[in-house]
Amino acid sequence: MSSKQVLVRAAAAVASLAAALALPALAHASTIVIDDFHTDQSSMLGSAVYPPETGTGSLVVPPAEAGSGIIGGERDVAEYGVQRYTDEVGQAYRPNDAQFAWSQGGEFIAERQIGVKGSFLIAWDGQDGGASAVDYTGLGGVNLRTGGIDRFRFDMDGVGGGLQVTVYTDATHYSTATVSVPFLNRATVDEPFAAFATGAGAAGPADFSNVGAITAGQTDVGDLTQLHLFGITAVSPPDSTPPTITASAKTADGQPYTGGTWTRQNVIVSFQCSDAGSGVATVTPPVTVSQSGHDMAVTGTCVDNSGNRASATFYGIDIDNTGPSLVPTITAGGARYDQGTWTNKDVTVSWSCSDALNAVASAPAPTTVTTEGAGQQVSATCTDVLGNSTSRTVGGIDIDKTAPEADAWAYDLSSGNDYEPGTWTSGDVDVYFYCADDLSGVASTPDDVFVTKSGAGQTASGTCTDQAGNAATATFTDIDVDKTPPVLTARATSAGAAYTAGTWTNADVVVAFACTDADSGVASAPAPVTVSGEGSGQTASASCTDLVGNTATVSFGPIDIDRTAPTVTASATTADGALYTAGTWTAQAVTVTFACSDGASGVAAVSAAQTLDSDEKDASVTGTCTDAAGNGATAAFDHIDIDRTPPTIVATATPAPNASGWNDGPVTVTFTCNDGDGSGVATCPDPVTLSSEGAAQSVTGTATDAVGHSASATAGGISIDTTPPVVVWGDHPATYLPTDRVAIACTASDALSGIAASTCADIDAPASSFGVGTTTLTATVTDAAGNTTTTRTSFTVTVTFADLCTLTKQYVSSKVAATVACAPLLAAEKASKRARPTLVRVYVAAIEVDQKLKLISPQHADELITLARSLA
């Protein structure tokens, strides 16, 4: 297969892909097909008789192969002015390197190799017997303006130039226009008749209502290298006016329906559509609305043959075919009533009648059931204004307003006889009850009530209830019980506060007595007794009698009184057991102890020994001794001086290290000492400076106070590095071709603090990826101490047309396509500088076609195009 044929087929594949993605054109009211190219009039490749290396020849389609879809029934195809050129290796191009053909897929192809001149012409001129010359009246006066037609529509794509179209009325009356060819992207192009040159013919312009011939071709031999023509038609202007649509409605009985009126029937909405342009394509069918609703709407759409749309909406559809809602509310005495339960209140049934769409015509009034009885019921009906109605019955209404019967009796458990009200008894009294109900029945009978406490005029009650909640109460009164003696209690105070028997006090003790009787009452109560003498185990006693002769006796004791205070002394020792003298400094803890004695009630509490174990200056410790009667004494030990805390020392290194913990110069460590309120600092170390390189160095200092305490501090982790890192680039060539691979090593090192940041990295990539020209690589390395080293190295990438061809063959997956793409590169090596930009553009177009056909990746395609443009 020749390189020319590969280019033809690749371009055809791109055009077919564009056609598959193209959207369909809108229909037109009037269309005349000039040629759709679906009729194959034999392949012209290799079957033509060509002229000499210069001159004119023609290809004529035999009349027997003419078919439908071609105006006039015939195409005349001619080729003109073919000239001979030689390729890059000196081989002559063949004259037929400018050629054309029809494909079975409905496509006309015209091709011309780079550097080959030539023209072609297609003529539609009727059945002219196979002659190659244009018959200017062969179509017999076809009217292209019928039905409002005013333009040609071309379906095509290609590479370069334009398609020249001429319309003839006769040999001297014709008009010409040049139509731009879309670049490798199939599209339709409209050319209005008005755009054709006026007066182009010798005798004037063509009359488009009286056409004798039409030609299309390329007479400019400069730019066109490729054309794909899929069809030519004469069309009217696109229809941009939407159709007209209206909506109307009727009820199910066939009567017209007016929006905004209520109906109980279904409503059918229909749509009427008309279009004066391209005609109606589709319209929404009738829509039936059957559900209840207010102000409903139905929308329909009409579409004409040009894709214009119009919509209409029928509003205000009001349908109500549902009865109103009827909801009962049942109450008894203002509270909710549950059907089937007993109540002692009147039962009222209220009705809520509502309609979601229309007004209520009649609603039932509340009904109140007042009579006693079981299983009573109430019914009601609700109707809306359209006649829809709903009825409901409420039953299970049970009313009982009569209270049950209730009675009470009593029984004396101590005597075994019935109890008579108002008589005293020493035993318990049992009160029991009786209940009865003739309608809803007894719901509850009270339990027996036992009167067991002493008291006069006591009562016992019980309540009977029926199922409707009616209640009756029976009460038994005048129950007198007394079986408890009086209560006598004693309470003592001392110095105005409560006194507890058996405890020591240092004041008089007053004992008061209280006598009470809950039944018959107190006959006599004792007076208070005062105990004032010192001593232990003393007592006070008294007696009490109630009105019926019951007696109670009580004694209060023992009573202990002590009025003499104890004695207390204080002493101190150091931690080593030696006596401590007040007002002297010590480095040890000081413990203060207290000694206490009492000859009467005895020592109750003495302060515990107190130890001072922290720094103190002129401190004081106080202790207290208390006897059992509350008498107390106090002693103090003053002027205690203790120094227990060593001095403080802080080591500070300056300057501070960086974020990585390193310094790049000398570091000085200073010490700060302090002893607070103690004995004071005796010694503090002088500053120390480190200047040698090294990691994790340290300096330690010690401070002492006046009493011999000492403390040390260390400034550690001092790392010093003043030497910058080392960076080395590997050996490499100074110049690379795009087909070479750039491999350069970069090594960074630091002997002490180590590498903290580095842009030093090995390079290993195709030279073509760096682009044409000089590339400088820079490596900057910083160690952990902040020392920095920067080095650079450079190389140059050069490219020739031959290098670019080699890369093309590596990247393009099809050898044939790669060969086609390399052809203009190889020609450019020998061409003039003026011709090279055109050859580079042809190469770039070939690579773009290969990318569309997925013969090369987008990344490789971009790389090749960039290199090619650097050579233009």
Side-chain angles (χ1 to χ4, degrees):
M1 181 183 296
S2 68
S3 60
K4 169 173 58 60
Q5 291 172 315
V6 171
L7 181 59
V8 170
R9 294 194 178 183
V14 173
S16 298
L17 176 62
L21 297 176
L23 295 175
L26 296 177
H28 293 269
S30 300
T31 302
I32 297 176
V33 177
I34 306 302
D35 199 340
D36 58 11
F37 298 105
H38 283 285
T39 301
D40 186 11
Q41 295 184 266
S42 79
S43 173
M44 295 300 168
L45 288 174
S47 64
V49 177
Y50 292 94
E53 294 178 5
T54 59
T56 300
S58 66
L59 298 175
V60 180
V61 178
E65 296 191 24
S68 62
I70 304 173
I71 189 169
E74 179 182 311
R75 304 184 187 96
D76 291 328
V77 185
E79 184 176 35
Y80 303 96
V82 179
Q83 299 183 16
R84 184 183 184 92
Y85 283 79
T86 58
D87 61 17
E88 68 277 5
V89 295
Q91 180 178 354
Y93 284 113
R94 293 173 298 161
N96 64 344
D97 281 342
Q99 55 188 339
F100 40 83
W102 280 273
S103 72
Q104 293 287 349
E107 176 184 6
F108 173 80
I109 303 174
E111 300 285 354
R112 185 171 70 246
Q113 285 282 51
I114 300 297
V116 175
K117 295 183 179 181
S119 302
F120 71 88
L121 184 70
I122 309 173
W124 295 271
D125 57 1
Q127 299 283 356
D128 58 5
S132 60
V134 178
D135 182 353
Y136 299 109
T137 59
L139 294 179
V142 172
N143 184 3
L144 293 185
R145 293 189 179 275
T146 181
I149 294 175
D150 72 343
R151 66 193 60 212
F152 285 116
R153 175 159 292 172
F154 300 89
D155 183 5
M156 61 181 174
D157 68 9
V159 178
L163 182 66
Q164 189 177 65
V165 181
T166 303
V167 178
Y168 294 89
T169 295
D170 52 39
T172 60
H173 293 81
Y174 57 86
S175 300
T176 301
T178 299
V179 183
S180 297
V181 179
F183 182 79
L184 285 179
N185 184 15
R186 180 176 176 180
T188 58
V189 179
D190 281 8
E191 191 73 18
F193 293 163
F196 281 70
T198 301
D207 180 359
F208 282 82
S209 63
N210 180 19
V211 176
I214 304 171
T215 65
Q218 170 62 262
T219 60
D220 178 7
V221 298
D223 294 329
L224 183 66
T225 60
Q226 182 183 116
L227 173 71
H228 304 270
L229 193 56
F230 302 92
I232 305 176
T233 55
V235 299
S236 60
D239 178 7
S240 60
T241 303
T244 301
I245 182 173
T246 58
S248 61
K250 62 182 179 179
T251 54
D253 60 2
Q255 297 300 313
Y257 174 74
T258 301
T261 59
W262 285 97
T263 179
R264 296 175 62 184
Q265 302 182 51
N266 295 345
V267 173
I268 300 96
V269 180
S270 300
F271 300 94
Q272 299 77 42
C273 181
S274 62
D275 187 82
S278 58
V280 175
T282 61
V283 64
T284 301
V287 178
T288 299
V289 182
S290 59
Q291 74 274 16
S292 294
H294 171 60
D295 199 21
M296 295 181 287
V298 175
T299 299
T301 301
C302 176
V303 182
D304 64 18
N305 286 310
S306 294
N308 301 300
R309 307 171 68 88
S311 297
T313 302
F314 192 93
Y315 296 96
I317 302 175
D318 298 333
I319 299 177
D320 185 0
N321 52 24
T322 305
S325 170
L326 182 60
V327 180
T329 300
I330 311 172
T331 59
R336 173 182 170 180
Y337 172 72
D338 294 326
Q339 295 166 262
T341 61
W342 284 97
T343 180
N344 56 11
K345 307 289 192 306
D346 293 341
V347 175
T348 299
V349 182
S350 302
W351 303 93
S352 174
C353 182
S354 62
D355 192 273
L357 299 175
N358 272 299
V360 174
S362 62
T367 300
T368 301
V369 181
T370 61
T371 58
E372 290 186 307
Q376 302 176 79
Q377 62 182 23
V378 173
S379 298
T381 299
C382 176
T383 305
D384 66 17
V385 295
L386 293 182
N388 302 302
S389 64
T390 301
S391 298
R392 291 194 64 174
T393 297
V394 173
I397 301 174
D398 301 333
I399 301 176
D400 178 6
K401 299 182 180 180
T402 304
E405 179 185 353
D407 203 355
W409 290 271
Y411 184 74
D412 188 344
L413 295 179
S414 63
S415 65
N417 299 316
D418 290 339
Y419 175 76
E420 290 295 330
T423 61
W424 282 96
T425 178
S426 61
D428 296 338
V429 176
D430 178 10
V431 180
Y432 55 96
F433 304 93
Y434 167 79
C435 299
D437 190 87
D438 294 332
L439 186 55
S440 61
V442 175
S444 64
T445 299
D447 296 330
D448 289 3
V449 176
F450 293 91
V451 180
T452 61
K453 296 181 179 180
S454 296
Q458 300 180 75
T459 62
S461 298
T463 300
C464 299
T465 59
D466 62 16
Q467 299 291 340
N470 302 298
T473 301
T475 302
F476 196 95
T477 61
D478 295 329
I479 303 172
D480 298 331
V481 178
D482 184 2
K483 53 184 179 181
T484 304
V487 176
L488 180 61
T489 60
R491 182 176 62 87
T493 59
S494 178
Y499 173 76
T500 302
T503 61
W504 285 93
T505 179
N506 57 11
D508 292 346
V509 175
V510 178
V511 182
F513 301 94
C515 183
T516 61
D517 189 84
D519 300 321
S520 58
V522 176
S524 61
V529 175
T530 298
V531 180
S532 58
E534 283 190 300
S536 62
Q538 305 175 74
T539 61
S541 300
S543 295
C544 174
T545 303
D546 63 17
L547 294 175
V548 296
N550 297 309
T551 301
T553 301
V554 68
S555 295
F556 186 92
I559 299 173
D560 301 328
I561 300 175
D562 177 7
R563 302 179 189 272
T564 304
T567 60
V568 60
T569 59
S571 62
T573 59
T574 56
D576 59 1
L579 289 175
Y580 172 74
T581 302
T584 61
W585 279 97
T586 179
Q588 302 180 50
V590 175
T591 300
V592 180
T593 58
F594 302 92
C596 182
S597 63
D598 186 84
S601 60
V603 176
V606 62
S607 296
Q610 298 183 43
T611 299
L612 302 183
D613 196 21
S614 60
D615 290 341
E616 300 288 351
K617 187 173 184 179
D618 200 26
S620 177
V621 175
T622 300
T624 301
C625 177
T626 306
D627 64 15
N631 303 298
T634 300
F637 195 98
D638 301 322
H639 308 300
I640 302 173
D641 296 324
I642 301 174
D643 184 0
R644 297 284 287 162
T645 304
T648 61
I649 180 171
V650 177
T652 304
T654 55
N658 63 15
S660 299
W662 284 87
N663 289 88
D664 59 0
V667 175
T668 299
V669 178
T670 58
F671 299 93
T672 303
C673 305
N674 188 281
D675 196 49
D677 291 332
S679 56
V681 175
T683 62
C684 186
D686 295 328
V688 177
T689 298
L690 296 179
S691 57
S692 300
E693 287 189 312
Q697 302 178 71
S698 64
V699 175
T700 300
T702 301
T704 60
D705 63 13
V707 295
H709 297 303
S710 64
S712 298
T714 299
I718 301 173
S719 299
I720 301 175
D721 181 3
T722 60
T723 303
V726 177
V727 182
V728 178
W729 287 102
D731 294 335
H732 60 85
T735 304
Y736 292 91
L737 298 178
T739 54
D740 294 337
R741 192 165 191 86
V742 178
I744 303 174
C746 183
T747 303
S749 62
D750 188 86
L752 187 53
S753 61
I755 302 299
S758 173
T759 61
C760 177
D762 293 346
I763 303 298
D764 188 3
S768 59
S769 65
F770 292 94
V772 176
T774 298
T775 298
T776 299
L777 304 176
T778 301
T780 299
V781 180
T782 303
D783 63 17
N787 302 299
T788 300
T789 298
T790 299
T791 62
R792 295 175 178 82
T793 188
S794 301
F795 61 88
T796 302
V797 177
T798 62
V799 64
T800 66
F801 287 104
D803 296 333
L804 186 56
C805 182
T806 299
L807 281 178
T808 302
K809 292 178 180 180
Q810 292 178 4
Y811 291 164
V812 176
S813 60
S814 169
K815 293 182 178 180
V816 174
T819 300
V820 171
C822 280
L825 297 178
L826 299 177
E829 283 190 325
K830 299 181 179 181
S832 64
K833 290 185 178 180
R834 183 177 181 182
R836 285 180 180 177
T838 300
L839 294 170
V840 168
R841 286 197 299 273
V842 173
Y843 169 77
V844 170
I847 294 302
E848 289 174 342
V849 170
D850 292 340
Q851 182 179 348
K852 289 183 179 180
L853 295 176
K854 297 183 178 179
L855 299 178
I856 186 173
S857 69
Q859 295 79 8
H860 284 161
D862 291 342
E863 181 180 330
L864 293 180
I865 290 173
T866 299
L867 291 172
R869 287 173 175 166
S870 71
L871 293 172

